Amino acid sequence: MLLPLLFYCLPLSLAYQRGEYRIGGLFHDRTQEAAFQVITDELNTNPNSSFDLVADTFGVSYSDTFVARLGACRLLENGVIGIFGPSSQHSSPYIQAICDHKEIPHLETHWDDKIERNKCVVNLHPHPGVIARFLVQLVQRFGWERMVVLFEDDDSLLRTAPLLDLNIYHGVNIILRQLELDESQSYRGVLNAIKSSEETNLLLDCSVETLGKVLKQAQQVGLMTDRYRYIVTSLDVGVLDLTDFQYSGVNLTGIWLFDPSHPKATKYEDAMLDALGLPAESLWKMKLSTALLLDGVRLFYETIGEFGDTQSELLSTQSLSCDGTKYWRFGYTIVNTIKAKKFQGITGQIQFDNEGFRRNFVLEVVELTPAGLSVVGQWNSSVGELKVDRSRVRVHQEPAIANPFNRTFTVITTLTAPYAMLKETTAQLTGNDRFEGFCVDVIQELSAMLGFNYTFIIQADGANGDLNRITYEWNGMIREIIDGNADLAIADLTITSERENAVDFTMPFMNLGISVLYRKPEPVPPSLFMFTSPFSTSVWVMLGVAYLLVSFAIFIMGRLSPSEWTNPFPCVEEPEYLINQFSIRNSLWFTIGALMQQGSELAPISVSTRTASGFWWFFVLIMVSSYTANLAAFLTVETLVTPFKNIDELARQDEIKYGAKKKGSTEYFFRDSNLSTYKRVWEFMSKHPEVQVSDNDEGVRRVEQENYAYLMESTTIEYVTQRHCSLAQVGGLLDDKGYGIAMKKFSPYRNDLSTAILKLQESGRLTQLKIKWWKEKRGGSTCGTKKEEAEATALDLKNVGGVFLVLFVGSMVALAGSLIESAVFVYRRCKTSNTTFGEELKKEFRFILHFKRQVKVVK
Ligand code: GLU
């Protein structure tokens, strides 16, 4: 019964039997051993693999070379095809020699300063020489002129030796000090000595365990304050709990190859705790050596997997004896394949050069902030260039706690009038006395309120600070703040979102917007037809229409009103016919005579024609007075013309060039705007770099001397137009923003400074200072006193529409009156002539509308 089943299952089980490769580990540390097992177990769960790994480990001690050699020989006898470890500078060369001899790949994960490698070895740890190159750049970047290098032991001294280049080539003063334990088994002795030496820049090279102790003791002796700047070289800085120091304000910069809190690393946490036999809730963070070992085993596994069909041959590994001559034929092939591979591991991209040194890896720069360690930059070993991008710093919400009282701040500013200027004096001045200006006074006021001291320094290139979007590096004052060379930056420094990512700002101490500085409008020469200017074209047209209509209305009314038909021969008592003075020609003459204020011999007789004439004369009176008054304004006021009235018009023309300050927030406003007008402005400015200026003075000079408009901030325009009388602001403000005081990200002083600024604002002190520096000092109010003359503008229909309306209503009333007069007359006549009223009225109207009949026959 079981036999057929056996026959059926046997080939199946043979087909799915996976081969086994034995890999060996020489470890002096339990964590490494556990990691080796964890990763092997994980890889063996891969259902698609045709082989399994068998982890064979041998415990060695750090310094016992003999045991290490013994362990390696034991592993070879067991038939391993690769050896990992040991992490010891001392025994590693012996193992390398054995592996070379037996052609067994040897994967190292510890730092090794040798510059030559045996053929069978690859090291996943970056070479210390390459890391030192990066540290040199970092120190230069920080602009340190002096520093203390604290090293732990001989290895550490070896690692930091290349930093002496900083002294040889860049003149950095370096003091080397060993982290020696004093009688109380602490580092406080060394740290106290540093404290009394007044050195503030420290580079710490020690193991991560020592680093934790050193930082704690540094805090105890008062070395963990914002006065001190640390660079820690341990790539394991991420495993330390730095919560005790994150609010101290200390400037601590570290480097790492990977973030131990990243899920790539934390996913092994449970398995590792289990393998180490630690309780599940224990705090454990992966160190670099563990991460490198995990990466190494995975890399080895993937490399073997690539051999596919030839695997059966590879499986022919046998036990090798250290003393025999037999070796494994495939060792070099595997090592060379590993060297040619590109692999993405926990520690980033893993690639090797021909010698088996890791290349093309990325080191991240981390800074201690109140939110913990934050990545602020990167350094790629193959590019060799440090890129800092502070916008990636995590935002911290907790309130700042520290008092500016009795602190001394270095305040950086630019020499931009009227914010900060050199005093104009023949006396020899030093220190803060050399400067004056609005911002200098603001800092003086703040220091009096908050009790801090300050020293002004000047940003030599006058740059406020902009971000290079390729290298993510800041320049100008913002850079100085980031690098810690200044504590506060004050100037015409606009608060922008990009800057706010890199530094902190106080509340704005001044509000402003972008506008245009251009030459004042010039008077136009009087024109030949200036007499037409008081009325707009529509008023002239309406005046003509009113003249014609009123003349015609008077003509009609004249014919309608019986009293307007008069006896041509007064001596003849019963005339045969009557005549009417308001012929069409006379009507036109009568109204024009009134309009020209000359009158005519015609005198209206009937009530209706008199009413109409009255309204016409009233209309004429108002129109003529308005004309005369406005003409006087046109004759006395100069008409000024501006080639453009706002940014839209400026953007639409190309005769006048326009630009802004290079690398200033004004330029970036246009660069980042989505509005079509501003986009057009930016297009023009970027196509014509020559229109950009390096400072406001150059911009103002160009406006005065060339056909050039300068886009600048309204506060500075106000200052300039007070002193340069030929210049004026054109148009309104394009945006709304403010100047603030910048300081390091998460600075604990921000709240105090902001509150003090608000108080200065509320008390009116800031307004007083503005009046002082804008209107009083250094030629203020030179041009500002002359009141701008009102411009004369033509009267439009909306100005005189009312009088037209009165005329219209009056004429209608008069017309109605004349109709009534005519009807009464007809009524009386029909009574005497025995005809009906309707017939008489029809006859009368027919006669009236027969305009050619100038005489009326008396019946
Ligand atoms: N306030 C500007 C800035 O902070 C400089 C002047 C300007 O761009 O107009 O960059």
Side-chain angles (χ1 to χ4, degrees):
M1 175 72 187
L2 281 173
L3 212 59
L5 197 68
L6 198 65
F7 273 111
Y8 180 74
C9 292
L10 196 63
L12 210 74
S13 66
L14 280 176
Y16 283 93
Q17 189 179 12
R18 305 195 333 172
E20 271 183 0
Y21 293 115
R22 193 169 274 276
I23 52 169
L26 294 167
F27 305 121
H28 56 80
D29 164 350
R30 270 195 63 223
T31 318
Q32 297 268 300
E33 221 173 287
F36 198 55
Q37 194 57 56
V38 165
I39 187 71
T40 314
D41 290 347
E42 189 196 86
L43 294 172
N44 287 344
T45 57
N46 180 2
N48 301 324
S49 170
S50 57
F51 63 91
D52 281 338
L53 287 180
V54 177
D56 197 352
T57 55
F58 193 93
V60 296
S61 78
Y62 186 77
S63 49
D64 196 336
T65 323
F66 177 74
V67 179
R69 189 181 176 283
L70 195 76
C73 293
R74 180 76 50 79
L75 293 175
L76 290 175
E77 275 164 28
N78 291 350
V80 295
I81 61 162
I83 292 184
F84 294 79
S87 309
S88 155
Q89 279 275 79
H90 310 286
S91 33
S92 171
Y94 294 96
I95 311 304
Q96 278 184 26
I98 294 173
C99 287
D100 249 21
H101 182 50
K102 297 287 156 198
E103 284 196 32
I104 293 291
H106 181 203
L107 282 91
E108 289 187 322
T109 54
H110 65 98
W111 84 270
D112 182 359
D113 69 321
K114 284 197 292 300
I115 48 167
E116 274 184 14
R117 291 275 151 94
N118 294 40
K119 290 195 191 107
C120 261
V121 67
V122 288
N123 192 344
L124 282 98
H125 195 290
H127 192 276
V130 183
I131 299 178
R133 224 170 68 212
F134 162 59
L135 289 172
V136 166
Q137 268 188 38
L138 196 62
V139 171
Q140 279 182 289
R141 174 71 195 266
F142 286 175
W144 287 3
E145 282 163 9
R146 323 177 46 81
M147 67 194 257
V148 178
V149 174
L150 282 167
F151 65 95
E152 186 178 15
D153 49 24
D154 292 353
D155 285 355
S156 160
L157 191 59
L158 261 175
R159 280 194 296 260
T160 49
L163 293 177
L164 295 178
D165 279 1
L166 281 165
N167 175 267
I168 301 164
Y169 300 113
H170 306 287
V172 179
N173 226 317
I174 298 179
I175 300 164
L176 280 169
R177 291 209 69 135
Q178 185 162 13
L179 281 165
E180 283 170 321
L181 290 167
D182 57 18
E183 316 80 63
S184 63
Q185 291 302 301
S186 81
Y187 301 105
R188 281 187 283 270
V190 187
L191 297 170
N192 269 323
I194 292 172
K195 194 177 178 203
S196 44
S197 75
E198 294 288 307
E199 295 292 338
T200 53
N201 301 328
L202 287 90
L203 186 136
L204 270 170
D205 189 287
C206 55
S207 69
V208 69
E209 291 78 15
T210 312
L211 179 64
K213 288 183 211 154
V214 172
L215 292 180
K216 199 166 177 62
Q217 288 164 20
Q219 190 175 42
Q220 289 162 357
V221 301
L223 279 179
M224 292 300 271
T225 67
D226 60 354
R227 222 180 137 226
Y228 296 92
R229 286 170 238 185
Y230 291 80
I231 294 178
V232 294
T233 62
S234 167
L235 297 176
D236 278 324
V237 66
V239 303
L240 280 185
D241 177 11
L242 298 171
T243 351
D244 288 348
F245 319 115
Q246 51 197 50
Y247 304 105
S248 63
V250 70
N251 304 294
L252 189 142
T253 305
I255 50 174
W256 69 30
L257 205 52
F258 80 107
D259 178 359
S261 314
H262 194 280
K264 279 195 294 191
T266 52
K267 73 171 186 181
Y268 292 100
E269 233 165 64
D270 292 341
M272 283 298 291
L273 287 174
D274 194 32
L276 287 167
L278 294 172
E281 63 280 2
S282 313
L283 193 72
W284 182 85
K285 275 196 175 177
M286 190 181 282
K287 279 198 195 169
L288 178 65
S289 54
T290 311
L292 290 176
L293 182 63
L294 297 179
D295 280 350
V297 176
R298 193 181 281 278
L299 171 68
F300 193 75
Y301 174 81
E302 286 195 6
T303 311
I304 307 254
E306 279 176 22
F307 282 84
D309 295 342
T310 50
Q311 268 175 28
S312 50
E313 259 195 276
L314 278 182
L315 274 170
S316 63
T317 46
Q318 328 118 2
S319 138
L320 298 171
S321 155
C322 272
D323 302 322
T325 50
K326 225 163 76 181
Y327 60 92
W328 190 45
R329 293 188 293 133
F330 300 102
Y332 286 152
T333 316
I334 291 186
V335 171
N336 288 337
T337 313
I338 289 177
K339 284 180 185 170
K341 241 178 121 57
K342 205 177 186 179
F343 170 81
Q344 203 61 37
I346 302 170
T347 58
Q349 179 161 293
I350 298 176
Q351 260 184 293
F352 299 95
D353 60 11
N354 283 343
E355 295 286 313
F357 291 105
R358 192 155 165 187
R359 68 179 177 99
N360 220 358
F361 59 90
V362 173
L363 282 172
E364 288 188 319
V365 185
V366 291
E367 257 176 28
L368 184 63
T369 70
L373 282 176
S374 292
V375 178
V376 295
Q378 285 193 332
W379 185 82
N380 186 308
S381 67
S382 53
V383 183
E385 195 189 342
L386 175 61
K387 284 182 188 167
V388 175
D389 172 10
R390 261 155 222 285
S391 57
R392 293 169 61 192
V393 174
R394 272 173 274 162
V395 179
H396 165 64
Q397 303 292 341
E398 289 178 44
I401 32 156
N403 196 335
F405 183 74
N406 247 350
R407 302 223 166 225
T408 301
F409 292 135
T410 305
V411 184
I412 192 162
T413 186
T414 57
L415 290 177
T416 309
Y419 306 99
M421 301 166 282
L422 284 174
K423 273 187 192 158
E424 289 171 336
T425 169
T426 47
Q428 180 89 32
L429 299 175
T430 53
N432 293 345
D433 282 349
R434 288 168 298 158
F435 311 111
E436 63 176 9
F438 178 81
C439 291
V440 178
D441 282 0
V442 170
I443 288 291
Q444 158 66 38
E445 294 284 338
L446 293 176
S447 100
M449 282 170 84
L450 300 172
F452 63 83
N453 305 312
Y454 58 92
T455 313
F456 267 109
I457 58 168
I458 298 297
Q459 176 70 27
D461 61 2
N464 285 359
D466 87 300
L467 177 71
N468 182 322
R469 293 199 165 186
I470 298 162
T471 60
Y472 282 101
E473 302 248 346
W474 281 94
N475 63 17
M477 293 195 293
I478 300 287
R479 171 73 182 266
E480 297 302 318
I481 292 284
I482 291 169
D483 289 353
N485 299 332
D487 303 302
L488 303 176
I490 187 168
D492 58 338
L493 185 62
T494 310
I495 304 171
T496 64
S497 56
E498 207 168 46
R499 287 176 181 163
E500 184 75 60
N501 271 334
V503 292
D504 272 351
F505 279 100
T506 57
M507 299 285 288
F509 57 81
M510 192 172 262
N511 293 311
L512 58 125
I514 296 172
S515 197
V516 188
L517 180 77
Y518 190 62
R519 287 199 300 269
K520 269 196 182 144
E522 281 158 16
V524 260
S527 93
L528 208 55
F529 296 99
M530 195 181 171
F531 63 87
T532 59
S533 313
F535 287 154
S536 68
T537 316
S538 53
V539 172
W540 282 121
V541 171
M542 284 301 287
L543 190 62
V545 172
Y547 161 66
L548 292 175
L549 286 180
V550 171
S551 305
F552 187 67
I554 289 179
F555 165 68
I556 294 288
M557 282 180 252
R559 291 182 73 85
L560 275 171
S561 305
S563 12
E564 286 297 344
W565 291 101
T566 51
N567 181 359
F569 313 107
C571 316
V572 180
E573 273 193 17
E574 285 191 357
E576 283 175 14
Y577 59 91
L578 303 172
I579 56 164
N580 196 322
Q581 59 177 341
F582 285 116
S583 64
I584 190 79
R585 282 193 300 173
N586 279 354
S587 301
L588 286 167
W589 181 244
F590 172 72
T591 41
I592 196 81
L595 189 59
M596 295 299 142
Q597 307 218 289
Q598 299 307 314
S600 61
E601 299 218 328
L602 297 163
I605 302 163
S606 73
V607 177
S608 52
T609 46
R610 281 182 182 181
T611 309
S613 309
F615 276 103
W616 175 247
W617 289 338
F618 170 75
F619 170 79
V620 166
L621 175 75
I622 303 296
M623 291 304 283
V624 170
S625 334
S626 306
Y627 175 86
T628 317
N630 209 26
L631 185 66
F634 268 88
L635 292 174
T636 49
V637 174
E638 281 180 328
T639 312
L640 306 172
V641 276
T642 28
F644 60 94
K645 287 200 183 68
N646 49 42
I647 189 85
D648 274 299
E649 291 180 13
L650 180 64
R652 260 188 264 120
Q653 56 80 54
D654 29 44
E655 222 173 86
I656 303 164
K657 304 266 171 287
Y658 49 88
K661 184 179 166 177
K662 264 184 231 160
K663 298 181 178 176
S665 59
T666 304
E667 181 184 85
Y668 296 138
F669 166 80
F670 291 101
R671 182 193 64 187
D672 301 334
S673 177
N674 283 329
L675 297 181
S676 58
T677 303
Y678 302 158
K679 269 188 180 168
R680 195 169 325 133
V681 170
W682 173 243
E683 222 169 83
F684 174 81
M685 294 202 293
S686 46
K687 262 195 215 145
H688 303 89
E690 74 285 355
V691 296
Q692 306 296 73
V693 297
S694 48
D695 56 29
N696 288 339
D697 291 342
E698 190 190 337
V700 172
R701 205 175 47 247
R702 285 187 72 169
V703 177
E704 282 180 321
Q705 293 170 3
E706 301 167 22
N707 195 12
Y708 179 82
Y710 185 43
L711 298 159
M712 75 193 297
E713 289 165 333
S714 55
T715 39
T716 321
I717 292 186
E718 208 183 310
Y719 178 80
V720 169
T721 51
Q722 295 273 342
R723 286 153 185 84
H724 297 254
C725 304
S726 61
L727 307 184
Q729 174 178 329
V730 182
L733 304 187
L734 310 187
D735 62 349
D736 188 6
K737 51 199 180 186
Y739 294 150
I741 302 176
M743 67 206 75
K744 220 176 165 78
K745 198 91 195 141
F746 311 119
S747 168
Y749 310 118
R750 177 158 79 159
N751 267 356
D752 287 327
L753 288 166
S754 286
T755 315
I757 285 176
L758 285 179
K759 282 188 186 153
L760 288 179
Q761 232 156 27
E762 284 159 11
S763 64
R765 185 70 190 126
L766 286 182
T767 315
Q768 276 176 350
L769 289 180
K770 183 155 181 221
I771 293 171
K772 172 178 165 189
W773 288 106
W774 264 252
K775 301 220 162 111
E776 291 169 12
K777 294 268 186 178
R778 303 227 184 183
S781 302
T782 311
C783 330
T785 46
K786 197 178 150 203
K787 195 148 169 39
E788 288 294 320
E789 281 171 345
E791 219 182 291
T793 48
L795 293 178
D796 209 347
L797 262 186
K798 59 181 180 291
N799 307 107
V800 289
V803 66
F804 277 93
L805 187 68
V806 171
L807 176 67
F808 176 74
V809 173
S811 306
M812 286 300 123
V813 170
L815 202 62
S818 65
L819 282 169
I820 294 166
E821 269 182 75
S822 174
V824 171
F825 171 73
V826 171
Y827 178 71
R828 278 198 198 131
R829 206 172 58 189
C830 74
K831 277 212 168 150
T832 55
S833 63
N834 273 343
T835 47
T836 61
F837 177 70
E839 261 174 48
E840 271 305 310
L841 198 65
K842 223 188 274 172
K843 253 195 249 165
E844 182 67 16
F845 274 23
R846 211 175 291 140
F847 167 76
I848 284 164
L849 293 175
H850 210 283
F851 295 151
K852 276 195 181 154
R853 293 224 188 131
Q854 300 287 335
V855 293
K856 195 177 198 179
V857 179
V858 181
K859 288 185 184 161

